[in-house]
Amino acid sequence: MPRNFSEHSQVLSCMNEKQQRYEALVHAFHADIYRYAFYLIKDKSIAEDVVQETFLRAWRSLDALKDEKAAKAWLITIVRRENARRFEKKQFDTVDIDTNPVVDDTVFTEQSLQEADMQRLLLMLSEPYREPLILQLLFGYSGDEIATQLNLNKNTVMSRLFRARNQLKELLSKQNGEKGRHNG
């Protein structure tokens, strides 16, 4: 009986330790992971589902995470894979737009309009340029970290970041030029 009790205590201790590690992981990275998922997916409810699935997979594989410093990169990799899984067997539903009127009763503030405008401009960048820039802007990743995350050469990442910023500048100047014409 004492041996059985000892094994039972060890199992409970390991479970409690895993639970604490998981809760710390969620607490530390949930907001960043959601923000990244939202930028990838552009839909709040789907991003929430992908983040939930990401943390479920993280729980299942938590014992495989040996280096706590790599946790954020590990979670981002899971998000990217979960996002890709959505399209593996996806059958897109079509709806007749004329039979489903859309009402938008959202109230916009100046800051939310600027954020939405910047997000729209970021989404206009092509995927190879957008993703490294988002990783740099949202997470503050260095070129090396982005290269590791995206399995790219650092020079390729730096080139894409440079081109992404130039494309954003062009889009902003084009947008500001159009605003000037309309206003004046």
Side-chain angles (χ1 to χ4, degrees):
M1 179 124 166
R3 180 174 176 228
N4 220 2
F5 178 75
S6 175
E7 288 175 359
H8 182 68
S9 292
Q10 282 181 320
V11 169
L12 287 178
S13 175
C14 287
M15 288 174 59
N16 285 335
E17 181 183 321
K18 183 177 179 178
Q19 180 69 28
Q20 289 173 349
R21 284 181 67 209
Y22 177 75
E23 287 175 4
L25 187 76
V26 172
H27 180 73
F29 299 116
H30 186 273
D32 287 340
I33 297 303
Y34 172 76
R35 193 175 314 119
Y36 181 65
F38 183 75
Y39 269 98
L40 284 178
I41 298 164
K42 302 161 204 72
D43 182 288
K44 182 181 176 185
S45 62
I46 295 173
E48 289 170 353
D49 290 344
V50 167
V51 169
Q52 185 173 3
E53 187 63 32
T54 296
F55 280 105
L56 178 61
R57 287 188 185 274
W59 167 259
R60 290 179 184 151
S61 303
L62 191 59
D63 294 332
L65 180 64
K66 301 300 180 201
D67 183 9
E68 300 294 327
K69 294 176 185 172
K72 187 186 273 188
W74 180 62
L75 289 169
I76 288 173
T77 300
I78 297 172
V79 167
R80 292 177 71 228
R81 289 180 181 158
E82 283 306 309
N83 186 42
R85 276 188 193 97
R86 289 186 318 121
F87 298 102
E88 287 176 356
K89 297 178 183 174
K90 181 71 175 167
Q91 296 292 324
F92 292 98
D93 299 327
T94 57
V95 177
D96 186 9
I97 195 163
D98 295 328
T99 61
N100 293 316
V102 177
V103 177
D104 186 6
D105 56 355
T106 308
V107 177
F108 293 103
T109 64
E110 182 66 28
Q111 182 178 357
S112 71
L113 287 173
Q114 288 174 348
E115 289 171 2
D117 198 32
M118 183 54 74
Q119 183 177 357
R120 183 183 57 77
L121 290 174
L122 280 171
L123 294 175
M124 291 173 74
L125 297 175
S126 61
E127 183 78 23
Y129 300 117
R130 181 176 59 232
E131 194 166 14
L133 188 61
I134 289 173
L135 287 171
Q136 187 181 54
L137 293 175
L138 287 181
F139 298 113
Y141 279 1
S142 69
D144 287 328
E145 292 168 324
I146 295 169
T148 301
Q149 188 65 39
L150 299 178
N151 296 321
L152 296 171
N153 179 301
K154 181 184 177 188
N155 292 334
T156 303
V157 168
M158 299 312 287
S159 175
R160 288 183 183 181
L161 287 170
F162 177 78
R163 290 179 182 156
R165 286 196 279 303
N166 282 343
Q167 286 181 11
L168 263 181
K169 287 176 190 174
E170 287 176 22
L171 290 170
L172 279 169
S173 82
K174 185 176 179 181
Q175 177 181 329
N176 290 337
E178 288 175 6
K179 283 182 181 178
R181 270 197 314 256
H182 293 296
N183 292 336

Short mmCIF file of all heavy atoms in Angstrom, two decimals, residues 71-132:
data_model
loop_
_atom_site.label_atom_id
_atom_site.label_comp_id
_atom_site.label_asym_id
_atom_site.label_seq_id
_atom_site.Cartn_x
_atom_site.Cartn_y
_atom_site.Cartn_z
N ALA A 71 9.19 29.27 -25.78
CA ALA A 71 7.74 29.05 -25.70
C ALA A 71 6.95 29.89 -26.70
O ALA A 71 6.05 29.38 -27.36
CB ALA A 71 7.25 29.32 -24.27
N LYS A 72 7.29 31.17 -26.83
CA LYS A 72 6.52 32.03 -27.73
C LYS A 72 6.69 31.58 -29.18
O LYS A 72 5.70 31.47 -29.92
CB LYS A 72 6.94 33.49 -27.59
CG LYS A 72 6.06 34.44 -28.39
CD LYS A 72 6.56 35.86 -28.36
CE LYS A 72 6.04 36.60 -27.18
NZ LYS A 72 6.36 38.05 -27.24
N ALA A 73 7.90 31.30 -29.58
CA ALA A 73 8.14 30.82 -30.94
C ALA A 73 7.43 29.48 -31.18
O ALA A 73 6.87 29.25 -32.25
CB ALA A 73 9.64 30.68 -31.20
N TRP A 74 7.44 28.63 -30.18
CA TRP A 74 6.76 27.34 -30.26
C TRP A 74 5.26 27.54 -30.46
O TRP A 74 4.65 26.92 -31.33
CB TRP A 74 7.06 26.57 -28.97
CG TRP A 74 6.47 25.21 -28.83
CD1 TRP A 74 6.69 24.13 -29.61
CD2 TRP A 74 5.56 24.79 -27.80
NE1 TRP A 74 5.99 23.04 -29.14
CE2 TRP A 74 5.29 23.43 -28.03
CE3 TRP A 74 4.98 25.43 -26.71
CZ2 TRP A 74 4.44 22.70 -27.21
CZ3 TRP A 74 4.14 24.69 -25.89
CH2 TRP A 74 3.87 23.35 -26.15
N LEU A 75 4.67 28.45 -29.70
CA LEU A 75 3.24 28.73 -29.83
C LEU A 75 2.91 29.35 -31.18
O LEU A 75 1.88 29.03 -31.79
CB LEU A 75 2.77 29.65 -28.70
CG LEU A 75 2.71 28.99 -27.32
CD1 LEU A 75 2.50 30.05 -26.25
CD2 LEU A 75 1.62 27.93 -27.26
N ILE A 76 3.76 30.24 -31.68
CA ILE A 76 3.53 30.84 -32.99
C ILE A 76 3.56 29.78 -34.08
O ILE A 76 2.75 29.80 -35.01
CB ILE A 76 4.55 31.97 -33.25
CG1 ILE A 76 4.22 33.17 -32.37
CG2 ILE A 76 4.57 32.37 -34.72
CD1 ILE A 76 5.24 34.27 -32.42
N THR A 77 4.48 28.83 -33.95
CA THR A 77 4.53 27.74 -34.92
C THR A 77 3.23 26.93 -34.88
O THR A 77 2.69 26.57 -35.92
CB THR A 77 5.73 26.82 -34.61
OG1 THR A 77 6.93 27.59 -34.71
CG2 THR A 77 5.79 25.65 -35.57
N ILE A 78 2.73 26.68 -33.69
CA ILE A 78 1.47 25.94 -33.56
C ILE A 78 0.33 26.73 -34.20
O ILE A 78 -0.50 26.17 -34.91
CB ILE A 78 1.16 25.61 -32.09
CG1 ILE A 78 2.24 24.68 -31.51
CG2 ILE A 78 -0.21 24.96 -31.96
CD1 ILE A 78 2.13 24.44 -30.01
N VAL A 79 0.28 28.05 -33.97
CA VAL A 79 -0.77 28.88 -34.58
C VAL A 79 -0.71 28.80 -36.10
O VAL A 79 -1.74 28.63 -36.76
CB VAL A 79 -0.64 30.37 -34.14
CG1 VAL A 79 -1.49 31.28 -34.98
CG2 VAL A 79 -1.01 30.53 -32.69
N ARG A 80 0.49 28.91 -36.64
CA ARG A 80 0.63 28.86 -38.10
C ARG A 80 0.15 27.51 -38.64
O ARG A 80 -0.52 27.45 -39.66
CB ARG A 80 2.08 29.11 -38.50
CG ARG A 80 2.51 30.55 -38.21
CD ARG A 80 3.96 30.83 -38.53
NE ARG A 80 4.14 30.83 -39.97
CZ ARG A 80 5.11 30.16 -40.59
NH1 ARG A 80 5.98 29.46 -39.91
NH2 ARG A 80 5.23 30.23 -41.89
N ARG A 81 0.49 26.44 -37.95
CA ARG A 81 0.05 25.11 -38.39
C ARG A 81 -1.45 24.93 -38.24
O ARG A 81 -2.10 24.32 -39.10
CB ARG A 81 0.80 24.02 -37.62
CG ARG A 81 2.26 23.95 -38.03
CD ARG A 81 3.00 22.89 -37.28
NE ARG A 81 4.40 22.88 -37.70
CZ ARG A 81 5.38 22.39 -36.97
NH1 ARG A 81 5.13 21.86 -35.79
NH2 ARG A 81 6.61 22.42 -37.43
N GLU A 82 -2.01 25.44 -37.16
CA GLU A 82 -3.47 25.35 -36.97
C GLU A 82 -4.19 26.15 -38.06
O GLU A 82 -5.22 25.71 -38.56
CB GLU A 82 -3.87 25.88 -35.59
CG GLU A 82 -3.60 24.92 -34.47
CD GLU A 82 -4.21 23.57 -34.70
OE1 GLU A 82 -5.42 23.47 -34.99
OE2 GLU A 82 -3.48 22.57 -34.60
N ASN A 83 -3.67 27.29 -38.40
CA ASN A 83 -4.26 28.09 -39.46
C ASN A 83 -4.21 27.32 -40.78
O ASN A 83 -5.18 27.31 -41.54
CB ASN A 83 -3.56 29.43 -39.58
CG ASN A 83 -4.23 30.34 -40.58
OD1 ASN A 83 -5.46 30.43 -40.63
ND2 ASN A 83 -3.44 31.02 -41.37
N ALA A 84 -3.11 26.67 -41.06
CA ALA A 84 -2.97 25.89 -42.30
C ALA A 84 -3.94 24.70 -42.29
O ALA A 84 -4.52 24.36 -43.33
CB ALA A 84 -1.54 25.41 -42.47
N ARG A 85 -4.14 24.10 -41.13
CA ARG A 85 -5.05 22.94 -41.03
C ARG A 85 -6.49 23.33 -41.40
O ARG A 85 -7.24 22.50 -41.88
CB ARG A 85 -5.03 22.37 -39.62
CG ARG A 85 -3.92 21.41 -39.38
CD ARG A 85 -4.09 20.72 -38.01
NE ARG A 85 -2.86 20.05 -37.69
CZ ARG A 85 -1.90 20.55 -36.91
NH1 ARG A 85 -2.07 21.71 -36.33
NH2 ARG A 85 -0.79 19.89 -36.69
N ARG A 86 -6.83 24.58 -41.15
CA ARG A 86 -8.20 25.02 -41.47
C ARG A 86 -8.51 24.83 -42.94
O ARG A 86 -9.65 24.61 -43.32
CB ARG A 86 -8.39 26.52 -41.16
CG ARG A 86 -8.41 26.87 -39.73
CD ARG A 86 -8.73 28.34 -39.47
NE ARG A 86 -8.09 29.29 -40.35
CZ ARG A 86 -8.75 30.16 -41.14
NH1 ARG A 86 -10.05 30.18 -41.16
NH2 ARG A 86 -8.08 31.01 -41.89
N PHE A 87 -7.50 24.93 -43.79
CA PHE A 87 -7.72 24.89 -45.23
C PHE A 87 -7.53 23.51 -45.84
O PHE A 87 -7.81 23.33 -47.01
CB PHE A 87 -6.79 25.89 -45.93
CG PHE A 87 -7.06 27.30 -45.50
CD1 PHE A 87 -6.24 27.94 -44.59
CD2 PHE A 87 -8.16 27.99 -46.00
CE1 PHE A 87 -6.50 29.23 -44.18
CE2 PHE A 87 -8.43 29.27 -45.60
CZ PHE A 87 -7.60 29.90 -44.69
N GLU A 88 -7.06 22.55 -45.06
CA GLU A 88 -6.81 21.23 -45.60
C GLU A 88 -8.07 20.57 -46.14
O GLU A 88 -8.07 19.99 -47.20
CB GLU A 88 -6.15 20.33 -44.55
CG GLU A 88 -4.71 20.71 -44.29
CD GLU A 88 -4.08 19.89 -43.18
OE1 GLU A 88 -4.78 19.08 -42.53
OE2 GLU A 88 -2.88 20.07 -42.95
N LYS A 89 -9.15 20.65 -45.39
CA LYS A 89 -10.39 20.00 -45.81
C LYS A 89 -11.54 21.00 -45.88
O LYS A 89 -12.71 20.62 -45.86
CB LYS A 89 -10.76 18.89 -44.82
CG LYS A 89 -9.74 17.79 -44.78
CD LYS A 89 -10.10 16.74 -43.77
CE LYS A 89 -9.02 15.69 -43.70
NZ LYS A 89 -9.25 14.73 -42.64
N LYS A 90 -11.21 22.26 -45.97
CA LYS A 90 -12.22 23.31 -45.93
C LYS A 90 -13.07 23.32 -47.19
O LYS A 90 -12.56 23.36 -48.30
CB LYS A 90 -11.53 24.67 -45.77
CG LYS A 90 -12.46 25.85 -45.70
CD LYS A 90 -13.21 25.89 -44.43
CE LYS A 90 -14.04 27.15 -44.34
NZ LYS A 90 -15.00 27.09 -43.30
N GLN A 91 -14.36 23.29 -47.00
CA GLN A 91 -15.33 23.48 -48.07
C GLN A 91 -15.98 24.84 -47.81
O GLN A 91 -16.66 25.01 -46.81
CB GLN A 91 -16.40 22.38 -48.05
CG GLN A 91 -15.86 20.99 -48.31
CD GLN A 91 -15.38 20.85 -49.73
OE1 GLN A 91 -15.97 21.41 -50.64
NE2 GLN A 91 -14.32 20.08 -49.92
N PHE A 92 -15.75 25.76 -48.69
CA PHE A 92 -16.28 27.10 -48.48
C PHE A 92 -17.76 27.16 -48.82
O PHE A 92 -18.19 26.70 -49.88
CB PHE A 92 -15.51 28.12 -49.33
CG PHE A 92 -14.10 28.30 -48.87
CD1 PHE A 92 -13.06 27.64 -49.49
CD2 PHE A 92 -13.81 29.13 -47.79
CE1 PHE A 92 -11.75 27.80 -49.06
CE2 PHE A 92 -12.52 29.29 -47.34
CZ PHE A 92 -11.49 28.62 -47.98
N ASP A 93 -18.53 27.70 -47.89
CA ASP A 93 -19.95 27.88 -48.12
C ASP A 93 -20.17 29.17 -48.89
O ASP A 93 -19.51 30.18 -48.63
CB ASP A 93 -20.70 27.98 -46.78
CG ASP A 93 -20.55 26.72 -45.95
OD1 ASP A 93 -20.47 25.63 -46.55
OD2 ASP A 93 -20.52 26.83 -44.71
N THR A 94 -21.10 29.14 -49.82
CA THR A 94 -21.42 30.35 -50.56
C THR A 94 -22.82 30.79 -50.16
O THR A 94 -23.69 29.98 -49.87
CB THR A 94 -21.36 30.11 -52.08
OG1 THR A 94 -22.25 29.05 -52.42
CG2 THR A 94 -19.95 29.75 -52.50
N VAL A 95 -22.99 32.08 -50.13
CA VAL A 95 -24.26 32.67 -49.74
C VAL A 95 -24.61 33.73 -50.77
O VAL A 95 -23.74 34.49 -51.20
CB VAL A 95 -24.15 33.31 -48.33
CG1 VAL A 95 -25.44 33.98 -47.94
CG2 VAL A 95 -23.75 32.27 -47.31
N ASP A 96 -25.87 33.79 -51.14
CA ASP A 96 -26.31 34.82 -52.06
C ASP A 96 -26.32 36.15 -51.31
O ASP A 96 -27.07 36.33 -50.35
CB ASP A 96 -27.70 34.48 -52.59
CG ASP A 96 -28.17 35.45 -53.67
OD1 ASP A 96 -27.34 36.28 -54.11
OD2 ASP A 96 -29.34 35.38 -54.05
N ILE A 97 -25.51 37.05 -51.75
CA ILE A 97 -25.33 38.32 -51.04
C ILE A 97 -26.60 39.18 -51.09
O ILE A 97 -26.86 39.97 -50.20
CB ILE A 97 -24.11 39.08 -51.60
CG1 ILE A 97 -23.72 40.20 -50.63
CG2 ILE A 97 -24.39 39.66 -52.97
CD1 ILE A 97 -22.34 40.71 -50.85
N ASP A 98 -27.42 39.01 -52.12
CA ASP A 98 -28.63 39.80 -52.24
C ASP A 98 -29.70 39.40 -51.23
O ASP A 98 -30.54 40.21 -50.86
CB ASP A 98 -29.20 39.69 -53.65
CG ASP A 98 -28.26 40.31 -54.67
OD1 ASP A 98 -27.56 41.27 -54.32
OD2 ASP A 98 -28.23 39.81 -55.81
N THR A 99 -29.68 38.16 -50.77
CA THR A 99 -30.70 37.70 -49.84
C THR A 99 -30.30 37.88 -48.38
O THR A 99 -31.10 37.66 -47.49
CB THR A 99 -31.04 36.20 -50.07
OG1 THR A 99 -29.84 35.43 -49.86
CG2 THR A 99 -31.58 35.99 -51.47
N ASN A 100 -29.06 38.27 -48.12
CA ASN A 100 -28.58 38.44 -46.75
C ASN A 100 -28.06 39.85 -46.55
O ASN A 100 -26.87 40.11 -46.70
CB ASN A 100 -27.45 37.44 -46.44
CG ASN A 100 -27.95 36.02 -46.43
OD1 ASN A 100 -28.98 35.73 -45.86
ND2 ASN A 100 -27.20 35.13 -47.07
N PRO A 101 -28.94 40.79 -46.19
CA PRO A 101 -28.46 42.16 -46.00
C PRO A 101 -27.52 42.24 -44.80
O PRO A 101 -27.69 41.52 -43.82
CB PRO A 101 -29.75 42.95 -45.73
CG PRO A 101 -30.74 41.94 -45.28
CD PRO A 101 -30.35 40.64 -45.90
N VAL A 102 -26.54 43.11 -44.89
CA VAL A 102 -25.56 43.27 -43.83
C VAL A 102 -25.75 44.64 -43.20
O VAL A 102 -25.79 45.65 -43.89
CB VAL A 102 -24.13 43.15 -44.40
CG1 VAL A 102 -23.10 43.38 -43.32
CG2 VAL A 102 -23.94 41.80 -45.06
N VAL A 103 -25.85 44.66 -41.88
CA VAL A 103 -26.00 45.91 -41.15
C VAL A 103 -24.76 46.07 -40.27
O VAL A 103 -24.42 45.17 -39.50
CB VAL A 103 -27.27 45.89 -40.27
CG1 VAL A 103 -27.38 47.17 -39.46
CG2 VAL A 103 -28.49 45.68 -41.14
N ASP A 104 -24.10 47.19 -40.39
CA ASP A 104 -22.92 47.46 -39.58
C ASP A 104 -23.23 48.64 -38.67
O ASP A 104 -23.35 49.76 -39.11
CB ASP A 104 -21.73 47.78 -40.49
CG ASP A 104 -20.44 47.92 -39.72
OD1 ASP A 104 -20.45 47.66 -38.49
OD2 ASP A 104 -19.44 48.30 -40.33
N ASP A 105 -23.37 48.34 -37.37
CA ASP A 105 -23.68 49.39 -36.41
C ASP A 105 -22.49 49.69 -35.49
O ASP A 105 -22.64 50.11 -34.37
CB ASP A 105 -24.90 49.01 -35.58
CG ASP A 105 -24.73 47.68 -34.86
OD1 ASP A 105 -23.71 47.00 -35.08
OD2 ASP A 105 -25.64 47.31 -34.08
N THR A 106 -21.29 49.52 -36.01
CA THR A 106 -20.07 49.73 -35.25
C THR A 106 -19.81 51.23 -35.11
O THR A 106 -19.96 51.99 -36.05
CB THR A 106 -18.87 49.08 -35.97
OG1 THR A 106 -19.19 47.73 -36.25
CG2 THR A 106 -17.63 49.16 -35.13
N VAL A 107 -19.41 51.63 -33.91
CA VAL A 107 -19.03 53.02 -33.66
C VAL A 107 -17.50 53.09 -33.71
O VAL A 107 -16.81 52.31 -33.05
CB VAL A 107 -19.53 53.47 -32.27
CG1 VAL A 107 -19.07 54.89 -31.97
CG2 VAL A 107 -21.04 53.36 -32.19
N PHE A 108 -16.98 54.00 -34.52
CA PHE A 108 -15.54 54.10 -34.69
C PHE A 108 -15.00 55.34 -33.98
O PHE A 108 -15.59 56.41 -34.04
CB PHE A 108 -15.19 54.21 -36.18
CG PHE A 108 -15.50 52.97 -36.95
CD1 PHE A 108 -16.62 52.90 -37.77
CD2 PHE A 108 -14.67 51.86 -36.86
CE1 PHE A 108 -16.90 51.75 -38.48
CE2 PHE A 108 -14.95 50.71 -37.56
CZ PHE A 108 -16.06 50.64 -38.37
N THR A 109 -13.86 55.17 -33.33
CA THR A 109 -13.14 56.30 -32.76
C THR A 109 -12.00 56.63 -33.72
O THR A 109 -11.66 55.85 -34.60
CB THR A 109 -12.56 55.95 -31.38
OG1 THR A 109 -11.59 54.91 -31.54
CG2 THR A 109 -13.65 55.50 -30.42
N GLU A 110 -11.38 57.78 -33.52
CA GLU A 110 -10.27 58.17 -34.38
C GLU A 110 -9.14 57.15 -34.30
O GLU A 110 -8.58 56.76 -35.32
CB GLU A 110 -9.74 59.56 -33.96
CG GLU A 110 -8.61 60.08 -34.81
CD GLU A 110 -9.03 60.38 -36.25
OE1 GLU A 110 -10.21 60.69 -36.49
OE2 GLU A 110 -8.16 60.30 -37.13
N GLN A 111 -8.83 56.69 -33.08
CA GLN A 111 -7.76 55.70 -32.92
C GLN A 111 -8.13 54.38 -33.59
O GLN A 111 -7.30 53.77 -34.26
CB GLN A 111 -7.45 55.47 -31.45
CG GLN A 111 -6.31 54.49 -31.23
CD GLN A 111 -5.96 54.28 -29.77
OE1 GLN A 111 -6.54 54.91 -28.90
NE2 GLN A 111 -5.02 53.42 -29.51
N SER A 112 -9.37 53.92 -33.43
CA SER A 112 -9.76 52.65 -34.05
C SER A 112 -9.74 52.77 -35.57
O SER A 112 -9.41 51.81 -36.26
CB SER A 112 -11.12 52.18 -33.55
OG SER A 112 -12.16 52.99 -34.05
N LEU A 113 -10.08 53.95 -36.09
CA LEU A 113 -10.01 54.15 -37.54
C LEU A 113 -8.56 54.10 -38.03
O LEU A 113 -8.27 53.52 -39.08
CB LEU A 113 -10.65 55.49 -37.92
CG LEU A 113 -12.18 55.53 -37.84
CD1 LEU A 113 -12.68 56.95 -38.08
CD2 LEU A 113 -12.80 54.57 -38.82
N GLN A 114 -7.65 54.72 -37.27
CA GLN A 114 -6.23 54.68 -37.66
C GLN A 114 -5.68 53.27 -37.59
O GLN A 114 -4.94 52.84 -38.48
CB GLN A 114 -5.41 55.61 -36.76
CG GLN A 114 -5.65 57.07 -37.02
CD GLN A 114 -4.93 57.96 -36.01
OE1 GLN A 114 -4.43 57.50 -35.00
NE2 GLN A 114 -4.90 59.26 -36.30
N GLU A 115 -6.06 52.52 -36.53
CA GLU A 115 -5.61 51.14 -36.40
C GLU A 115 -6.17 50.29 -37.53
O GLU A 115 -5.46 49.46 -38.11
CB GLU A 115 -6.01 50.57 -35.05
CG GLU A 115 -5.22 51.14 -33.89
CD GLU A 115 -5.77 50.73 -32.54
OE1 GLU A 115 -6.75 49.96 -32.47
OE2 GLU A 115 -5.21 51.19 -31.52
N ALA A 116 -7.43 50.48 -37.84
CA ALA A 116 -8.05 49.73 -38.93
C ALA A 116 -7.41 50.08 -40.27
O ALA A 116 -7.19 49.21 -41.12
CB ALA A 116 -9.56 50.00 -38.97
N ASP A 117 -7.08 51.36 -40.43
CA ASP A 117 -6.42 51.81 -41.66
C ASP A 117 -5.04 51.16 -41.79
O ASP A 117 -4.67 50.67 -42.86
CB ASP A 117 -6.30 53.33 -41.64
CG ASP A 117 -6.05 53.90 -43.02
OD1 ASP A 117 -6.54 53.32 -44.01
OD2 ASP A 117 -5.37 54.95 -43.10
N MET A 118 -4.28 51.13 -40.69
CA MET A 118 -2.96 50.52 -40.73
C MET A 118 -3.08 49.01 -40.98
O MET A 118 -2.31 48.44 -41.75
CB MET A 118 -2.20 50.78 -39.43
CG MET A 118 -0.79 50.22 -39.45
SD MET A 118 0.23 50.75 -40.85
CE MET A 118 0.60 52.42 -40.40
N GLN A 119 -4.05 48.38 -40.34
CA GLN A 119 -4.24 46.94 -40.55
C GLN A 119 -4.61 46.68 -42.02
O GLN A 119 -4.12 45.75 -42.63
CB GLN A 119 -5.32 46.40 -39.64
CG GLN A 119 -5.51 44.90 -39.79
CD GLN A 119 -6.51 44.32 -38.84
OE1 GLN A 119 -7.08 45.01 -38.01
NE2 GLN A 119 -6.75 43.04 -38.96
N ARG A 120 -5.45 47.52 -42.59
CA ARG A 120 -5.83 47.36 -43.99
C ARG A 120 -4.61 47.48 -44.89
O ARG A 120 -4.43 46.71 -45.83
CB ARG A 120 -6.88 48.43 -44.36
CG ARG A 120 -7.41 48.31 -45.79
CD ARG A 120 -8.39 49.43 -46.11
NE ARG A 120 -7.84 50.76 -45.94
CZ ARG A 120 -7.01 51.36 -46.79
NH1 ARG A 120 -6.62 50.74 -47.87
NH2 ARG A 120 -6.57 52.58 -46.58
N LEU A 121 -3.75 48.46 -44.58
CA LEU A 121 -2.53 48.63 -45.38
C LEU A 121 -1.61 47.42 -45.22
O LEU A 121 -1.02 46.96 -46.20
CB LEU A 121 -1.80 49.91 -44.98
CG LEU A 121 -2.50 51.21 -45.37
CD1 LEU A 121 -1.75 52.41 -44.79
CD2 LEU A 121 -2.64 51.34 -46.87
N LEU A 122 -1.48 46.90 -44.00
CA LEU A 122 -0.65 45.71 -43.79
C LEU A 122 -1.20 44.52 -44.57
O LEU A 122 -0.44 43.74 -45.14
CB LEU A 122 -0.59 45.35 -42.30
CG LEU A 122 0.37 46.15 -41.45
CD1 LEU A 122 0.17 45.85 -39.97
CD2 LEU A 122 1.81 45.89 -41.84
N LEU A 123 -2.51 44.41 -44.61
CA LEU A 123 -3.12 43.29 -45.31
C LEU A 123 -2.98 43.42 -46.83
O LEU A 123 -3.12 42.42 -47.54
CB LEU A 123 -4.60 43.16 -44.94
CG LEU A 123 -4.85 42.77 -43.48
CD1 LEU A 123 -6.34 42.78 -43.18
CD2 LEU A 123 -4.24 41.43 -43.15
N MET A 124 -2.67 44.60 -47.30
CA MET A 124 -2.46 44.79 -48.73
C MET A 124 -1.09 44.28 -49.17
O MET A 124 -0.86 44.05 -50.35
CB MET A 124 -2.61 46.28 -49.10
CG MET A 124 -4.05 46.76 -48.98
SD MET A 124 -4.20 48.54 -49.22
CE MET A 124 -3.99 48.64 -50.99
N LEU A 125 -0.18 44.11 -48.20
CA LEU A 125 1.14 43.56 -48.52
C LEU A 125 0.97 42.09 -48.87
O LEU A 125 0.14 41.39 -48.30
CB LEU A 125 2.08 43.69 -47.33
CG LEU A 125 2.41 45.10 -46.86
CD1 LEU A 125 3.26 45.03 -45.60
CD2 LEU A 125 3.13 45.88 -47.94
N SER A 126 1.80 41.60 -49.76
CA SER A 126 1.74 40.18 -50.08
C SER A 126 2.28 39.38 -48.89
O SER A 126 3.08 39.86 -48.11
CB SER A 126 2.51 39.87 -51.35
OG SER A 126 3.87 40.19 -51.18
N GLU A 127 1.81 38.14 -48.77
CA GLU A 127 2.13 37.27 -47.64
C GLU A 127 3.63 37.19 -47.32
O GLU A 127 4.00 37.29 -46.16
CB GLU A 127 1.56 35.87 -47.88
CG GLU A 127 1.77 34.90 -46.74
CD GLU A 127 0.81 35.09 -45.60
OE1 GLU A 127 -0.27 35.66 -45.81
OE2 GLU A 127 1.16 34.68 -44.49
N PRO A 128 4.50 37.01 -48.32
CA PRO A 128 5.92 36.90 -47.99
C PRO A 128 6.49 38.15 -47.30
O PRO A 128 7.48 38.06 -46.57
CB PRO A 128 6.61 36.69 -49.34
CG PRO A 128 5.54 36.21 -50.25
CD PRO A 128 4.26 36.80 -49.76
N TYR A 129 5.89 39.29 -47.53
CA TYR A 129 6.37 40.53 -46.92
C TYR A 129 5.59 40.85 -45.64
O TYR A 129 6.14 41.40 -44.70
CB TYR A 129 6.25 41.70 -47.90
CG TYR A 129 7.06 41.48 -49.15
CD1 TYR A 129 6.44 41.39 -50.39
CD2 TYR A 129 8.44 41.33 -49.10
CE1 TYR A 129 7.18 41.16 -51.54
CE2 TYR A 129 9.18 41.10 -50.23
CZ TYR A 129 8.55 41.02 -51.45
OH TYR A 129 9.28 40.79 -52.58
N ARG A 130 4.31 40.52 -45.63
CA ARG A 130 3.46 40.85 -44.49
C ARG A 130 3.86 40.08 -43.24
O ARG A 130 4.00 40.66 -42.16
CB ARG A 130 2.00 40.57 -44.84
CG ARG A 130 1.04 40.90 -43.72
CD ARG A 130 -0.42 40.71 -44.09
NE ARG A 130 -0.68 39.34 -44.49
CZ ARG A 130 -1.28 38.99 -45.63
NH1 ARG A 130 -1.67 39.90 -46.47
NH2 ARG A 130 -1.50 37.72 -45.91
N GLU A 131 4.06 38.77 -43.36
CA GLU A 131 4.30 37.96 -42.16
C GLU A 131 5.57 38.34 -41.41
O GLU A 131 5.53 38.52 -40.19
CB GLU A 131 4.30 36.47 -42.52
CG GLU A 131 4.22 35.59 -41.30
CD GLU A 131 3.89 34.16 -41.63
OE1 GLU A 131 3.97 33.76 -42.81
OE2 GLU A 131 3.56 33.43 -40.69
N PRO A 132 6.71 38.53 -42.07
CA PRO A 132 7.89 38.97 -41.31
C PRO A 132 7.69 40.34 -40.64
O PRO A 132 8.12 40.55 -39.51
CB PRO A 132 9.00 39.05 -42.36
CG PRO A 132 8.54 38.21 -43.50
CD PRO A 132 7.05 38.26 -43.47
#
